[in-house]
Amino acid sequence: MIELKEISKKFGNTQAVKQVSFNVASGETLVLLGTSGCGKTTTLKMINRLIEPDAGQILINGKNVTDQDPDVLRKGIGYVMQNIGLFPHYTIAENIALIPDMLKWDKAKTKSHTKALIEKLHLPESTLAMYPHELSGGQQQRVGLARALIADPPVLLMDEPFGALDNLTRTSIQKEFKALEELRRKTIVMVTHDVLEAFELADRICLLDKGEVVQIGTPKELLFQPINDIAKNFLAGQRLVLEFKVVNIQDIWCYLPEEINYEGKSETAGLSIWEAMESLRKKDGDELFVSDASNTVKSVNFGQLTTAFNQYRNAQQHE
Amino acid sequence: MNEQQQTLWQFMSGQSDKLFSQTLQHVGLTFISLTLAIAVGLPLGILIARKRKLSGMVLGVAGILQTIPSIALLGFMIPVLGIGAKPAIVALLIYALLPIIRNTYTGIIGIDLHVKEAARAMGMSKSQVLLKVELPLAMPVILAGIRTATVINVGVATLASFIAAGGLGEFIFGGISLNNTNMILGGAIPAALLAIVLDALLSLVQKMDVRKLRKALYIFPVVILALGAFYALPSAYGSTLTAGFTPEFMGRQDGDLGLKSTYGLKIHTIVISDAVMYKAAYAKELDVISGYSTDGRLKAFDLRILKDDKNIFPPYFAAPIVRNEALKQFPELEKTLNLLSGKITDSVMTDLNYRTDYLHQQPEQVAKDFLISKGLYKTSKNGNRGTVRIGSKIFGEQYILAEIYSMLIKGYTDYNVSTKTGLGGTKICFDALVNNQIDFYPEYTGTGLLVLLQPDPIIAKEMARDKEKTYRYVSAEFEKRFKIKWLKPIGFNNSYALMMRRKQSTALNVNTITDLKNYLDKN
C-alpha cells in the first residue's frame, strides 16, 4: 500500500533522513518510533508531501506521490497531529466538514456522516456548534481524528496524535482508537516517541535513530530479537512491561500445566500476560481458566503464569 | 466665553453649506485613499508574509515614505500629478500604506503554524489557505491597521486644502491665516469628531467575534467604497481660466471678497497653499494666482503682476514690530533695527527672495551678501547682555529679514540673538509676540490693519488708499491696544497681487484686473 524507497532529506547540513525504506501493507499500522530528532516526523511528512524528499521514491498504491497534485494527494490522506490544528474561527461542525466541503459533498451527507462519527468518538452532539477553544484537549483531539476520518481516506498519517494529552486521557483515547472500526480498515503510519504507545497500537514498529532505520519488525521481534545494541537499549527501561504486554497465553501454552475438564466460563488464549495478571488480581479466587482455539481449557494461578512466562522468555533468548 | 461659543455656533450655521460639503469632501478623500491603500497594502502585506526576505525592504520603504513631511510630499506631487484631488489622494494613500502593510504582515505571520500545517495537510490550495485561514485569522490585526490608517488619513486630509483638494483644512488654515478662531474651530472640531467617530466605528468592527466578522467582511468594502464616493472630483471648470487663491486670500476684504465686490470678477476658483501655488501656475494647472508682489518666484517662474487699477489691495509696507517692554529691556534695539529702514526696495526684495526660493541659497548667505553690499555688515561681537528673540512667519522673505536683523543686532550691539523662524502664520506670530514668546518680528502694515486690528470696513477702505495713513493708524492702534511699537518701514511694499504667466497675459492681452474681468465676461 505505502512503499518508501531509499528516502533521504537534508536540512542545511543536517542529514535528517538517510535512505529510509519500508513497506506498509494495506490495513496495517506501522509506528515510526524514536527519540526526538531521529527523523520520524520528517519521514511522515514526506508521505503527504508536506516536505519534499531530496532523493528516493514514495509510492502509494504503486503510484509515485510526486506525480500527483499535492492538494489532490492530501485530500486522500487523513492527517492527525499533536497540536491538532483545528481552525479556531470555525465551529466543530465546520472543522469536521472541511474536507467534505472541498470535495463538494452534499450538506445532508456531511451532516449524517459527522453525526455518526462523533457518536463513535464519544463526543456529545452539543459540541458541534462550539468553537475549538471551548473543548477540552481530549475532545479537541477526537475532533481532529473526526476531521481526518470523515471522508474515509484509505491512508492515515498520525504525528504524535496523543502527545499533548495527559496520561489518563491518553490511555482512554488509545483504547477507543484501538476499538474504532474505522481505524481497523486503514493503512496507518503513526509517529511516536512513546514506547508503550508504539507497542500498544502497532502491527509493526520501525525504529529510527539519527535518520536511519535501526530495525523494522513486530513488537515481539523488536523485544526478543533486537538486531543491535541500539535496538536493545531503546527498550531496556520498559522491557518487562513490554514483554508482559506482547506475550500472550497462546505463546506460553506449552509451558502451562496439563489441560483440565472444565465447562464454565473461560478467557481466550489471546489474552496478554499483562491482562491475565490483571484478571487474576481482580478475581476472588486465585485461578484463571483459559481456553485455546481447539477449546482445550487450562487453569492457571499467579505462580504458574510467571513460571511459564519465564520459561518462554528463556527459550526466546536462546533461539 | 459664552459669547465666543455663540459666535462659533453662528459661524458654523452661517457656513453650514460649506461645512457640509467640506466634511463630505474630507470623508471622501479619507476613504478613497483608504480604499486604494488597502488595495495596494493588503496584497503587499500578503506577499511579504510569503516571501519574508522582501519584508525588510518593503516595510523600510513604506516607513521612509511615512516620514516625509506631508506638505513636502504634496509639493513633490505637483509636477507629476498637478493639483487637486489626484495628488492629495496619492499622498494620503502613501501615509495609509505602512500601517496596513505592517499589520497584514504581522497578522499573517502571527497565525499558529499548526493551523496552517493542518490546512495544507488537508489538501487546501494556497489560495484556500489564504482566504479561509490566513486572512480570517489575521483580520483583527489587519483591521487594527486599517483603523490606524483611517485616523492618520483624517488628520493628513486637512492638508489637502493646500493643493486645492478641499476638505476641512480650508477652514482650519484659512482661519489660522485670517486670525479667525471660529473659522479654525469650524474646521478643527468636525475633523476631530470625524476621527473619533470613525475610530469608534472601526473598533466596533474589530471587536466583533470571528463569526460575525465573516459576514461583516462583505459589508465592509461596500461601506468604504460608498464613503469614498462622497468625494466628487472637482467640478467641471465654470470659466475658461482657473484661479488658485490661498485660504487667507479667500476670506479677505482685500482679497477674493474685494475682487468680487469691487471688480465683479467671476472666475472658477480653487483654494491652494501658498507653498505650491506658484509651481502650479507655472505648470499651467492654474492661470491666475494670488501672489505677493515681492515674491522671488515671480521672477523664477516668469509671472506677471496684473495692475490693481481699482486699488483694492492696500499697501503692505514691512516694518519690525516690537514689544514696548523689549525696547526698554534692550535700549540699543530700536536704533539697530532702524538701520535697515528704507534700505530694501521692491526689486531688491524680489531679488533676495529669488535667491533663496529659486537659487536655493541659504537665508544666512543672502542676508550677509546684502549687508556687505550696503556696507552695513559688521562681524559679531558675541555679546552676552541679554538675548533678543526674533520671530518670523513661514515664508522665505521673513527668514531673510530675520537673518538680517540677527546679524545687525550681533554686529552693532552686545546682545545675543535667538531666532524663532517659521511660525505658522500671522496669528501664531502675533500671539507669540503678545505673549512674550518673542520680542519682535517683521509685519506688514496691511496685515496689521486688516487681519490684526480688523476695523470696520469703511475705515479699512479709507485707510487702504494711502500708505502713510495706514502706517499712522496701525502705529497708534497697536500702541494703544497691545503696547507694541511699529518701527520705521523697511522700504518695500509686499502687497497682494493677482498674477498670470507672462506669455498667457500677453497672448490674451490682459494687463489689469479689469482686463481680466472683461476677458472672462466675454468668454
Side-chain angles (χ1 to χ4, degrees):
Chain A
M1 183 83 190
I2 304 172
E3 197 177 355
L4 269 72
K5 291 182 182 169
E6 308 205 318
I7 290 296
S8 294
K9 178 72 190 179
K10 252 188 172 179
F11 292 116
N13 288 325
T14 322
Q15 185 80 45
V17 174
K18 199 168 165 190
Q19 298 202 312
V20 167
S21 303
F22 58 75
N23 287 311
V24 191
S26 190
E28 186 185 27
T29 298
L30 178 82
V31 172
L32 302 177
L33 180 65
T35 50
S36 27
C38 72
K40 55 192 191 300
T41 296
T42 308
T43 306
L44 184 82
K45 285 182 179 177
M46 285 192 285
I47 298 175
N48 67 353
R49 295 184 62 190
L50 285 175
I51 295 173
E52 300 285 355
D54 295 333
Q57 270 191 330
I58 298 174
L59 306 175
I60 296 180
N61 273 335
K63 271 165 74 183
N64 195 334
V65 293
T66 46
D67 294 341
Q68 300 171 55
D69 176 5
D71 295 340
V72 176
L73 173 79
R74 288 173 195 151
K75 285 191 186 92
I77 302 177
Y79 188 76
V80 183
M81 56 185 183
Q82 177 176 352
N83 295 78
I84 315 171
L86 295 179
F87 291 3
H89 57 310
Y90 277 33
T91 60
I92 300 308
E94 288 168 323
N95 264 293
I96 297 174
L98 271 167
I99 294 174
D101 283 354
M102 282 194 281
L103 296 173
K104 306 225 164 21
W105 278 18
D106 182 59
K107 292 275 173 217
K109 180 181 169 190
T110 309
K111 218 171 168 183
S112 65
H113 272 66
T114 305
K115 242 177 146 178
L117 198 54
I118 63 158
E119 206 184 303
K120 281 184 195 160
L121 288 165
H122 306 291
L123 280 166
E125 209 175 316
S126 60
T127 53
L128 284 179
M130 293 185 186
Y131 285 92
H133 68 90
E134 298 170 281
L135 267 58
S136 70
Q139 285 176 317
Q140 289 188 27
Q141 194 51 272
R142 287 165 217 253
V143 175
L145 202 56
R147 183 176 67 179
L149 291 176
I150 182 90
D152 202 15
V155 175
L156 194 61
L157 304 181
M158 308 181 98
D159 184 6
E160 307 241 5
F162 311 115
L165 305 176
D166 60 89
N167 281 330
L168 259 168
T169 317
R170 179 162 52 214
T171 316
S172 73
I173 292 198
Q174 279 170 355
K175 270 198 189 121
E176 287 170 27
F177 177 89
K178 260 178 106 172
L180 204 64
E181 169 61 28
E182 269 74 10
L183 289 170
R184 292 225 185 112
R185 293 185 268 113
K186 294 206 187 306
T187 308
I188 298 172
V189 180
M190 187 175 109
V191 161
T192 186
H193 63 266
D194 181 342
V195 179
L196 281 171
E197 183 172 280
F199 274 70
E200 191 83 37
L201 302 174
D203 292 323
R204 280 192 305 147
I205 292 170
C206 172
L207 183 64
L208 290 165
D209 184 58
K210 293 180 184 130
E212 286 181 281
V213 175
V214 178
Q215 187 172 3
I216 303 181
T218 61
K220 233 181 248 174
E221 284 167 347
L222 251 74
L223 261 181
F224 296 114
Q225 290 127 42
I227 62 159
N228 57 19
D229 283 350
I230 299 176
K232 207 178 205 167
N233 293 337
F234 196 83
L235 306 176
Q238 287 150 306
R239 174 163 289 275
L240 191 62
V241 180
L242 294 174
E243 285 175 356
F244 282 155
K245 288 201 167 183
V246 161
V247 178
N248 57 27
I249 299 294
Q250 189 66 59
D251 293 324
I252 59 167
W253 193 257
C254 57
Y255 305 110
L256 290 175
E258 289 304 302
E259 58 200 68
I260 54 162
N261 279 324
Y262 175 73
E263 296 292 319
K265 248 180 85 183
S266 63
E267 306 277 351
T268 71
L271 209 65
S272 70
I273 305 299
W274 183 272
E275 287 162 329
M277 284 174 162
E278 275 189 326
S279 295
L280 274 170
R281 197 166 51 82
K282 276 186 217 152
K283 275 181 86 140
D284 296 336
D286 49 10
E287 266 185 327
L288 183 74
F289 298 100
V290 289
S291 57
D292 73 352
S294 54
N295 269 331
T296 47
V297 178
K298 291 186 176 182
S299 154
V300 280
N301 60 24
F302 202 89
Q304 289 163 334
L305 193 64
T306 42
T307 311
F309 174 73
N310 284 333
Q311 283 172 324
Y312 170 81
R313 205 174 162 209
N314 284 333
Q316 290 295 317
Q317 277 160 0
H318 293 113
E319 227 174 45
Chain B
M1 199 58 210
N2 202 15
E3 197 185 352
Q4 170 89 10
Q5 276 170 355
Q6 213 171 14
T7 49
L8 171 63
W9 180 244
Q10 279 166 353
F11 174 84
M12 286 174 92
S13 52
Q15 301 276 347
S16 62
D17 281 358
K18 231 178 174 179
L19 192 61
F20 184 67
S21 73
Q22 283 185 10
T23 309
L24 284 193
Q25 280 176 341
H26 207 93
V27 173
L29 272 176
T30 305
F31 279 92
I32 287 183
S33 50
L34 193 64
T35 312
L36 294 172
I38 294 171
V40 176
L42 200 64
L44 263 179
I46 294 166
L47 177 78
I48 60 173
R50 290 275 156 84
K51 301 200 189 316
R52 305 270 169 97
K53 277 184 198 156
L54 289 175
S55 66
M57 196 190 71
V58 171
L59 290 174
V61 170
I64 288 168
L65 288 175
Q66 192 86 8
T67 63
I68 302 175
S70 19
I71 193 74
L73 188 63
L74 293 170
F76 292 145
M77 300 267 163
I78 291 183
V80 192
L81 294 168
I83 54 169
K86 266 188 283 173
I89 289 170
V90 173
L92 288 173
L93 152 76
I94 286 172
Y95 284 115
L97 268 183
L98 181 66
I100 294 178
I101 297 177
R102 193 176 44 204
N103 282 41
T104 306
Y105 171 73
T106 37
I108 290 178
I109 63 167
I111 296 170
D112 184 357
L113 283 175
H114 301 103
V115 173
K116 281 196 232 184
E117 186 181 287
R120 282 182 62 212
M122 275 187 292
M124 283 187 145
S125 65
K126 274 195 174 159
S127 59
Q128 282 173 322
V129 174
L130 179 70
L131 291 175
K132 293 193 170 169
V133 181
E134 289 176 319
L135 284 184
L137 287 178
M139 198 46 71
V141 184
I142 296 176
L143 280 174
I146 293 177
R147 196 173 147 195
T148 312
T150 309
V151 176
I152 290 176
N153 269 9
V154 171
V156 180
T158 55
L159 297 173
S161 65
F162 280 146
I163 50 166
L168 289 162
E170 281 188 18
F171 273 160
I172 297 173
F173 294 104
I176 291 174
S177 306
L178 293 168
N179 190 15
N180 184 337
T181 313
N182 287 331
M183 198 175 194
I184 300 175
L185 293 177
I189 291 172
L193 284 178
L194 208 55
I196 293 168
V197 168
L198 291 175
D199 190 52
L201 284 178
L202 284 167
S203 84
L204 283 184
V205 178
Q206 205 185 333
K207 276 181 202 137
M208 269 187 216
D209 77 44
V210 274
R211 200 182 175 90
K212 280 187 205 145
L213 203 60
R214 264 192 270 169
K215 277 172 205 149
L217 275 183
Y218 298 104
I219 304 165
F220 193 58
V222 179
V223 173
I224 288 189
L225 277 176
L227 287 172
F230 278 151
Y231 191 81
L233 296 174
S235 55
Y237 287 175
S239 63
T240 47
L241 298 179
T242 300
F245 295 156
T246 59
E248 178 165 6
F249 189 81
M250 288 299 286
R252 292 173 73 136
Q253 248 330 300
D254 62 328
D256 189 48
L257 302 176
L259 284 176
K260 283 197 181 109
S261 60
T262 310
Y263 285 98
L265 189 73
K266 288 188 203 102
I267 186 165
H268 170 71
T269 306
I270 54 183
V271 180
I272 189 166
S273 133
D274 162 71
V276 296
M277 184 173 64
Y278 293 90
K279 215 183 248 176
Y282 180 68
K284 300 189 182 168
E285 294 282 343
L286 297 171
D287 302 301
V288 180
I289 59 171
S290 60
Y292 298 100
S293 54
T294 57
D295 200 296
R297 289 167 293 191
L298 202 61
K299 191 169 167 185
F301 293 129
D302 199 21
L303 302 173
R304 180 177 181 197
I305 295 176
L306 301 184
K307 193 167 167 4
D308 175 23
D309 48 337
K310 290 185 182 172
N311 289 318
I312 63 158
F313 299 131
Y316 277 73
F317 284 93
I321 60 172
V322 199
R323 291 187 304 114
N324 287 347
E325 277 173 36
L327 289 174
K328 262 184 242 154
Q329 192 187 344
F330 306 107
E332 307 269 310
L333 188 62
E334 180 165 359
K335 195 173 71 189
T336 312
L337 298 185
N338 278 339
L339 285 171
L340 202 61
S341 155
K343 291 288 191 306
I344 304 181
T345 62
D346 284 10
S347 59
V348 171
M349 194 67 240
T350 308
D351 182 56
L352 297 182
N353 282 333
Y354 173 70
R355 291 195 202 180
T356 50
D357 291 347
Y358 197 69
L359 302 180
H360 304 302
Q361 294 176 359
Q362 290 304 309
E364 294 96 311
Q365 190 57 44
V366 174
K368 193 173 173 185
D369 290 348
F370 166 77
L371 286 176
I372 290 170
S373 76
K374 293 281 172 189
L376 285 171
Y377 185 74
K378 279 190 185 175
T379 47
S380 168
K381 292 164 112 175
N382 290 323
N384 55 5
R385 288 177 47 211
T387 300
V388 180
R389 297 161 302 171
I390 309 178
S392 92
K393 299 186 197 178
I394 189 163
F395 53 91
E397 181 169 297
Q398 291 257 332
Y399 285 95
I400 299 172
L401 291 175
E403 282 302 332
I404 291 177
Y405 281 129
S406 164
M407 285 174 192
L408 285 175
I409 293 168
K410 283 181 187 161
Y412 285 81
T413 73
D414 288 322
Y415 308 135
N416 200 357
V417 171
S418 77
T419 49
K420 298 190 175 172
T421 49
L423 299 172
T426 298
K427 182 173 170 50
I428 293 170
C429 233
F430 186 70
D431 283 350
L433 185 66
V434 170
N435 292 310
N436 192 14
Q437 298 297 307
I438 54 176
D439 294 314
F440 78 93
Y441 75 92
E443 187 52 279
Y444 305 87
T445 53
T447 312
L449 178 70
L450 295 165
V451 178
L452 297 173
L453 293 176
Q454 299 183 341
D456 81 68
I458 302 157
I459 299 179
K461 214 161 187 181
E462 168 73 26
M463 292 296 162
R465 300 289 162 120
D466 187 325
K467 73 172 203 186
E468 290 300 324
K469 260 188 183 168
T470 313
Y471 182 76
R472 279 201 302 273
Y473 181 78
V474 293
S475 295
E477 288 292 315
F478 268 59
E479 185 64 49
K480 200 165 75 194
R481 285 206 224 167
F482 309 120
K483 307 231 179 307
I484 285 171
K485 182 166 186 183
W486 283 76
L487 301 187
K488 288 184 191 163
I490 303 167
F492 66 90
N493 174 17
N494 185 5
S495 78
Y496 267 127
L498 284 197
M499 39 186 99
M500 295 177 74
R501 286 184 301 282
R502 188 175 296 280
K503 264 190 188 160
Q504 194 185 27
S505 129
T506 315
L508 302 178
N509 196 22
V510 170
N511 300 310
T512 65
I513 299 177
T514 307
D515 287 349
L516 179 65
K517 179 205 180 311
N518 292 338
Y519 172 81
L520 287 168
D521 288 350
K522 268 183 272 168
N523 289 282

